[in-house]
Amino acid sequence: MLTIYHNPRCSKSREGLQLLESKNTPFTVVKYLNENLTKQEVTTLINKLAIKPIELVRVKEAIWKENYKGLESIDDNTIIDALVKYPKLIERPIVVNGDKAVIARPASNIESIL
């Protein structure tokens, strides 16, 4: 079963959702801004994406700039804690298919895990 971590206010996230709908494949939607992700869930997403935690951060967000930018040696654990505390920092959308996941920017990235 496919899962999309979705922010309805984001145009890229809506594009990803639209692509999934066009495939007529069942999927679930997680509105991660409303459904707080746990530290374990964020860590699992990072592992499925096969990326470093910083690669999941929207570093241009004001929250990041105000609280974390300029920290010379921010460790992965602190980054994950920030993603849990401020889910708006999470890149979107994320689409998961089993043990694989992609950040669907562009939406066509989804094709690689279908």
Side-chain angles (χ1 to χ4, degrees):
M1 170 74 95
L2 293 166
T3 302
I4 182 170
Y5 290 80
H6 176 59
N7 175 353
R9 296 185 64 190
C10 171
S11 64
K12 297 294 182 189
S13 196
R14 289 191 305 268
E15 286 174 22
L17 185 67
Q18 195 171 42
L19 188 142
L20 287 177
E21 288 170 341
S22 75
K23 297 292 181 186
N24 292 323
T25 305
F27 63 92
T28 58
V29 176
V30 175
K31 293 181 181 175
Y32 65 93
L33 293 178
N34 301 340
E35 304 171 28
N36 295 332
L37 299 178
T38 66
K39 187 170 186 172
Q40 182 58 49
E41 288 170 319
V42 172
T43 301
T44 299
L45 283 174
I46 290 166
N47 291 335
K48 287 181 180 188
L49 288 162
I51 61 174
K52 295 178 181 180
I54 192 66
E55 295 175 73
L56 191 57
V57 176
R58 297 173 53 82
V59 295
K60 293 182 182 177
E61 283 288 338
I63 295 167
W64 183 259
K65 290 178 182 179
E66 292 166 9
N67 295 292
Y68 302 98
K69 189 175 180 178
L71 295 179
E72 303 279 323
S73 57
I74 188 165
D75 63 277
D76 289 350
N77 193 50
T78 302
I79 294 168
I80 293 168
D81 287 342
L83 293 169
V84 171
K85 185 174 182 178
Y86 304 108
K88 189 175 181 183
L89 292 175
I90 297 173
E91 275 291 356
R92 58 193 180 248
I94 300 168
V95 178
V96 177
N97 188 4
D99 62 348
K100 299 178 203 166
V102 294
I103 298 172
R105 297 178 75 91
S108 61
N109 287 352
I110 297 169
E111 300 287 349
S112 69
I113 63 167
L114 293 180

